């Protein structure tokens, strides 16, 4: 395929600059998004066994609910029920004193309840760790603090980044089209370090192109859904609305004693979706004008529209089905398209195989942004060398140095920050009054410290140090489990469930990779071009260049 050189240069420039502008925030979003796929497992790894009360049969849930509402005023606003075969990290009933939404509430105490052998209420109040929520927060906002209206500023920043990211994807494909067939799976190490990184960058981008398109387009919708839906509502006919209005909710005032039995609500859900299993029931607004129960419906073999399940919304007093994500056909073409598209973003279909595939693709996306910055920095070095007419330039431009420092600090700092936060969250849980304040302080201290370290030492030395830090902090995750087994009185708890053992195993693999990358970075720093930003010979202590370095003087 032949494309004019001037057109190619335009698309190449578009690909480079849109990629550079968005690379750092999207790296955090992709890396944290990969971990969010296993958020329940992370939560279980961070939750002491003594903070989860034993499950009870579904037939006893009505008795449990009645006793909780009689004895605890804070539960009357709403609570959550977890059925017997739900995740092991939940007690049968849980509630907060207030509605927390999706914010990170560091001081919110969680009430939990169950029934003992005599059928009497047994409760426990705990402070749940927010580390898993922090990872999800990083995925949605890149960790950028502040709000604008009812949304985080970081959500809008990621939305804008996703728009530019889409342009980078399209322009990258166009640039690669002329040589796509011959170089798609080529990894040409013998043609130099830059060619190898470029081939790896192209492979990661092209092979996962459908995944990246789905992610970037859905992020745009997530960030600007209010504006998008409001605009579409003005141009679509009534018969093609994105979503039809839900049946009007009853606004009559009810007494809590009139709550329908749990079995009755489960029957309604079973009639709606007999092939799905109810795992969670969230009661909301029980004393308000619009009470509702949200039932989480799980079927790993179906395309689920939520992060981990589909949902049915039922009136808790009348049993009326208010809405569900199971019947997008009633919402018209747009409703079916949007619901399925979101399911593709969450990877909530195909069971664990798809989640692991998304996990790998998410890490591949993070690599795409990191390697893209490396390629641009190396191309600028070669361009600067050619323009100055010498073999090695004394220093690279300030913009290149700043980007290199930010790339190392932000990317490696975010990964090290998550690992260190997990380790301290488990190690100090029983030793501090509020582990959540410690966790937030630890993450942002490591993250900002890594950025400062990059500017202080330069990208080459800082990259090696931070990679070693990533390796050691990630290795400490399974080491804490080993320590808990060897020293049962240490206050730690071992990983016993398959999911939490998986956290330790993945951390061990990642620690090995970080250690290997640190070794490669050190070798590159010692043996690579001396004027490269990644050379250990560059920086303030680098030797001055003499006239013998000039290209023209070399034979």
């Amino acid at each position: 395929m032949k494309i004019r050189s001037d057109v190619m240069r335009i698309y190449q420039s578009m690909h480079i600059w849109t990629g550079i502008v968005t690379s750092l925030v999207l790296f955090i979003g992709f890396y944290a998004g990969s971990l969010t796929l296993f958020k329940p497992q992370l939560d279980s790894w961070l939750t002491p066994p003594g903070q989860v009360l034993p499950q009870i049969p579904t037939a006893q849930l009505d008795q449990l609910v009645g006793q909780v509402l009689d004895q605890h005023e804070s539960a009357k606003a709403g609570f959550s029920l977890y059925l017997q075969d739900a995740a092991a990290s939940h007690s049968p009933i849980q509630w907060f004193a207030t509605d927390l939404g999706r914010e990170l509430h560091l001081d919110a105490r969680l009430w939990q309840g169950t029934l003992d052998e005599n059928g009497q209420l047994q409760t426990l109040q705990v402070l749940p760790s927010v580390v898993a929520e922090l990872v999800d927060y990083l995925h949605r906002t890149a960790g950028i603090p502040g709000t604008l209206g009812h949304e985080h500023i970081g959500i809008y920043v990621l939305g804008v980044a996703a728009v530019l990211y889409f342009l980078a994807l399209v322009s990258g494909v166009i640039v690669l089209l002329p040589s796509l067939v011959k170089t798609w799976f080529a990894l040409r190490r013998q043609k130099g370090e830059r060619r190898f990184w470029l081939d790896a960058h192209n492979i990661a981008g092209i092979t996962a192109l459908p995944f990246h398109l789905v992610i970037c387009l859905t992020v745009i919708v997530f960030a600007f859904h209010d504006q998008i839906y409001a605009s579409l509502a003005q141009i679509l006919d009534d018969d093609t609305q994105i979503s039809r209005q839900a049946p009007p909710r009853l606004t009559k005032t009810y007494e809590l004693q009139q709550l329908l039995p749990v079995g009755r609500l489960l029957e309604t859900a079973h009639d709606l979706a007999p092939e799905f299993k109810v795992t969670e029931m969230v009661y909301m607004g029980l004393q308000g004008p619009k009470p509702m129960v949200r039932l989480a419906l799980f079927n790993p073999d179906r395309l689920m529209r939520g992060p981990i399940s589909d949902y049915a919304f039922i009136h808790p007093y009348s049993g009326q089905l208010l809405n569900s994500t199971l019947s997008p056909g009633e919402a018209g073409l747009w409703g079916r398209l949007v619901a399925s598209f979101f399911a593709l973003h969450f990877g909530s279909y195909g069971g664990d195989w798809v989640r692991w595939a998304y996990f790998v693709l998410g890490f591949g996306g993070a690599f795409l942004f990191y390697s893209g910055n490396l390629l641009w920095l190396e191309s600028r070095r070669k361009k600067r060398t050619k323009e100055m007419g010498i073999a090695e330039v004394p220093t690279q431009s300030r913009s290149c140095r700043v980007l290199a420092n930010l790339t190392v600090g932000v990317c490696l700092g975010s990964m090290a920050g998550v690992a260190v936060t997990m380790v301290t969250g488990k190690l100090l849980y029983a030793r501090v009054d509020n582990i959540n304040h410690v966790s937030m302080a630890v993450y942002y201290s490591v993250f900002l410290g890594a950025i400062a370290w990059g500017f202080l030492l330069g990208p080459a030395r800082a990259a090696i140090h931070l990679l070693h830090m990533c390796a050691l902090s990630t290795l400490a995750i399974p080491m804490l489990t080993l320590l808990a087994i060897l020293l049962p009185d240490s206050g730690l708890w071992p990983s016993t469930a398959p999911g939490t053992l998986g956290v330790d195993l993945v951390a061990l693999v990642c620690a090995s990779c970080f250690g290997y990358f640190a070794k490669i970075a050190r070798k590159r720093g010692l043996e690579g071009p001396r004027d490269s930003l990644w050379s250990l010979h560059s920086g303030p202590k680098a030797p001055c260049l003499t006239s013998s370095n000039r290209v023209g003087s070399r034979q």
Side-chain angles (χ1 to χ4, degrees):
M1 181 177 180
K2 184 71 173 176
I3 300 178
R4 284 168 36 193
S5 59
D6 57 334
V7 175
M8 182 70 74
R9 283 193 297 270
I10 293 174
Y11 280 110
Q12 190 172 29
S13 297
M14 180 189 300
H15 179 74
I16 290 172
W17 289 110
T18 52
I20 289 174
V21 169
T22 63
S23 59
L24 300 182
V25 293
L26 288 177
F27 180 95
I28 299 177
F30 269 77
Y31 171 71
S34 295
L35 301 181
T36 304
L37 289 162
F38 296 96
K39 182 179 173 182
Q41 288 74 21
L42 290 176
D43 222 359
S44 297
W45 190 87
L46 291 156
T47 303
Q51 290 196 359
V52 179
L53 297 177
Q55 284 287 341
I56 60 175
T58 303
Q60 290 186 288
L61 289 178
D62 290 317
Q63 181 183 355
L64 175 63
V65 170
Q67 293 190 38
V68 167
L69 294 178
D70 287 340
Q71 301 178 31
H72 292 270
E73 188 70 24
S74 59
K76 293 181 179 180
F79 54 87
S80 299
L81 293 178
Y82 295 91
L83 276 64
Q84 195 167 9
D85 53 356
S89 60
H90 295 291
S91 299
I93 188 169
Q94 298 181 174
W95 72 93
F96 289 96
T98 57
D99 182 16
L100 303 182
R102 299 191 71 184
E103 301 291 333
L104 281 174
H105 291 264
L106 306 183
D107 302 301
R109 301 277 171 172
L110 176 68
W111 280 98
Q112 302 181 83
T114 189
L115 297 178
D116 60 19
E117 298 84 353
N118 300 320
Q120 298 302 308
L121 178 63
Q122 177 186 354
T123 59
L124 176 67
Q125 190 180 37
V126 300
L127 179 69
S129 172
V130 298
V131 174
E133 291 295 335
L134 172 62
V135 174
D136 185 48
Y137 175 77
L138 295 175
H139 170 55
R140 293 184 289 111
T141 68
I144 300 172
T147 58
L148 185 63
H150 66 284
E151 292 282 15
H152 286 283
I153 293 176
I155 292 178
Y156 291 119
V157 171
L158 279 178
V160 174
V163 175
L164 298 176
Y165 174 37
F166 178 78
L167 296 177
L169 288 173
V170 173
S171 56
V173 171
I174 293 175
V175 169
L176 198 58
L177 276 178
S179 60
L180 180 61
V181 175
K182 292 195 299 182
T183 64
W184 186 350
F185 289 107
L187 274 174
R188 292 164 286 185
R189 190 67 179 261
Q190 69 279 6
K191 290 193 175 182
E193 202 74 27
R194 183 178 178 276
R195 172 58 62 181
F196 174 80
W197 278 96
L198 180 60
D199 289 339
H201 180 84
N202 292 339
I203 290 173
I206 290 296
T207 55
L209 182 61
F211 170 78
H212 287 281
L213 289 173
V214 167
I215 296 300
C216 77
L217 292 176
T218 49
V219 168
I220 294 171
V221 175
F222 287 151
F224 305 112
H225 53 84
D226 289 345
Q227 297 85 344
I228 293 173
Y229 290 167
S231 300
L232 288 175
Q234 300 296 322
I235 61 176
L236 294 176
D237 296 329
D238 291 338
D239 293 337
T240 59
Q241 289 292 325
I242 290 182
S243 61
R244 294 188 183 277
Q245 295 294 325
R249 298 175 184 168
L250 306 179
T251 57
K252 175 183 174 182
T253 302
Y254 290 89
E255 298 292 333
L256 292 174
Q257 292 78 9
Q258 296 176 284
L259 283 173
L260 290 176
V262 172
R264 169 80 178 277
L265 300 177
L266 293 177
E267 289 176 3
T268 302
H270 180 74
D271 292 340
L272 174 67
E275 68 278 18
F276 280 75
K277 177 177 62 177
V278 178
T279 59
E280 176 188 20
M281 301 173 66
V282 180
Y283 288 71
M284 297 175 282
L286 295 180
Q287 295 182 309
K290 297 180 179 179
M292 179 173 59
V293 182
R294 188 190 70 197
L295 287 79
L297 309 172
F298 179 75
N299 186 339
D301 298 324
R302 290 287 297 274
L303 190 70
M304 294 177 288
R305 277 81 181 174
I308 55 175
S309 59
D310 268 301
Y311 298 100
F313 303 87
I314 301 175
H315 197 286
Y317 297 104
S318 69
Q320 177 187 4
L321 178 65
L322 303 175
N323 205 345
S324 80
T325 61
L326 287 163
S327 53
E330 298 178 0
L333 175 62
W334 280 106
R336 294 194 298 272
L337 179 62
V338 170
S340 300
F341 212 50
F342 283 13
L344 293 174
H345 178 94
F346 295 127
S348 52
Y349 60 94
D352 290 338
W353 287 104
V354 172
R355 287 205 297 166
W356 280 110
Y358 270 54
F359 180 82
V360 174
L361 290 170
F363 268 83
F367 168 78
L368 200 65
F369 306 120
Y370 189 80
S371 61
N373 284 7
L374 298 186
L375 287 167
W376 183 81
L377 290 168
E378 194 64 14
S379 67
R380 295 299 295 176
R381 179 185 69 84
K382 290 192 173 184
K383 182 178 180 181
R384 186 173 171 84
T385 299
K386 183 177 180 181
E387 290 174 350
M388 297 183 67
I390 56 179
E392 294 179 351
V393 296
T395 59
Q396 299 299 320
S397 65
R398 177 179 298 179
S399 60
C400 289
R401 296 198 305 271
V402 169
L403 179 61
N405 292 330
L406 285 174
T407 299
V408 168
V410 171
C411 297
L412 300 183
S414 63
M415 293 191 292
V418 170
V420 174
T421 304
M422 288 181 62
V423 171
T424 55
K426 192 167 189 175
L427 189 62
L428 302 179
Y429 190 93
R431 295 170 174 81
V432 297
D433 292 333
N434 191 319
I435 189 61
N436 293 331
H437 287 283
V438 175
S439 296
M440 295 296 291
V442 165
Y443 173 78
Y444 282 102
S445 296
V446 173
F447 176 70
L448 296 176
I451 296 175
W453 198 246
F455 279 92
L456 180 65
L457 294 186
R461 292 174 178 82
I464 297 172
H465 295 169
L466 293 176
L467 281 169
H468 279 126
M469 184 179 183
C470 288
L472 291 175
S473 57
T474 307
L475 180 62
I477 293 175
M479 289 300 101
L480 285 182
T481 296
L482 180 62
L483 185 63
I485 296 173
L486 298 177
L487 301 175
D489 297 328
S490 62
L492 301 173
W493 58 95
S495 302
T496 56
T500 52
L501 286 173
V503 173
D504 290 329
L505 181 59
V506 171
L508 189 61
V509 173
C510 289
S512 302
C513 293
F514 286 134
Y516 175 74
F517 295 151
K519 180 180 178 181
I520 294 298
R522 178 173 177 79
K523 181 180 179 182
R524 161 88 160 123
L526 292 173
E527 301 177 4
R530 297 172 66 90
D531 62 338
S532 172
L533 287 166
W534 312 109
S535 172
L536 293 173
H537 302 287
S538 63
K541 297 181 180 180
C544 296
L545 296 176
T546 64
S547 58
S548 62
N549 294 112
R550 295 189 176 276
V551 174
S553 66
R554 291 190 176 183
Q555 300 299 324

